[in-house]
Amino acid sequence: GESELTGCRNNGSVSVSNENAGGMIGEATVNVKIKRCTNNAPVGSGNMTAAGMVGCLRKGADIISCINTEKGVISAGQYAAGMIGWIPQKILVHVPKSNIKNCANSGEIKARVSDCAGIAVNLDNDKMTVVNCFNGTTKIANPASGSIEIAEGDYVIDSVLDEKYSV
């Protein structure tokens, strides 16, 4: 199956006690297309995985022209990001090609333990393409190891990720 969200806006705070909080989708267990969506509110998880768009991605995704605004403060114990919080390692071989294109994060990203990034965390295969994405914050606490550094005001253009990276 596949789900599609187009032109959606979240203006209400999202908070879960355990894991998988997302401004649009908490946990995607089918392929998703998210286009021209905006998260404009805090998203928090008491334990793991929080993001402006998808907290936990278990299938493929196309995230296109989406924004996590400065009001979209993302926080979790581990795995927090502006677009995708976490892709579980054990299912990566089964995940279809995914794309994050023309997206931006301006919200503060906080992980109490580790692993957070402006755009996405835990991209550990050659199935993720990140194109023309912008991180507009320097407020990233406990960034993921091996991350591609995207400082405030920097873009990622035409990056095909073929090792473990967070952007």
Side-chain angles (χ1 to χ4, degrees):
E2 185 171 285
S3 293
E4 185 170 327
L5 298 174
T6 301
C8 296
R9 177 180 289 271
N10 175 43
N11 291 321
S13 178
V14 175
S15 178
V16 299
S17 60
N18 193 16
E19 58 187 38
N20 302 338
M24 296 298 132
I25 300 171
E27 181 176 11
T29 58
V30 297
N31 294 333
V32 295
K33 289 184 181 181
I34 303 173
K35 300 176 185 174
R36 297 184 311 280
C37 292
T38 301
N39 180 54
N40 197 37
V43 175
S45 168
N47 187 14
M48 290 178 44
T49 68
M53 293 300 129
V54 180
C56 177
L57 180 64
R58 294 189 182 275
K59 292 289 184 177
D62 287 317
I63 300 176
I64 301 167
S65 301
C66 293
I67 299 169
N68 184 56
T69 71
E70 67 279 350
K71 292 181 181 178
V73 175
I74 309 299
S75 62
Q78 189 173 14
Y79 304 117
M83 296 298 130
I84 299 174
W86 186 48
I87 303 171
Q89 293 290 318
K90 64 184 177 185
I91 58 113
L92 283 173
V93 294
H94 307 292
V95 174
K97 176 87 173 166
S98 294
N99 302 287
I100 303 173
K101 296 180 181 177
N102 305 321
C103 293
N105 172 61
S106 295
E108 180 179 359
I109 309 293
K110 301 186 279 187
R112 290 181 303 282
V113 178
S114 65
D115 296 322
C116 63
I119 303 298
V121 175
N122 203 29
L123 310 177
D124 192 11
N125 64 2
D126 61 355
K127 296 181 180 179
M128 178 64 73
T129 302
V130 180
V131 178
N132 195 33
C133 291
F134 177 76
N135 180 47
T137 184
T138 58
K139 297 179 180 178
I140 298 179
N142 295 316
S145 61
S147 64
I148 298 171
E149 294 300 326
I150 302 180
E152 179 181 13
D154 283 354
Y155 286 87
V156 173
I157 300 174
D158 296 327
S159 291
V160 177
L161 304 176
D162 57 6
E163 296 181 31
K164 182 177 181 184
Y165 289 114
S166 299
V167 292

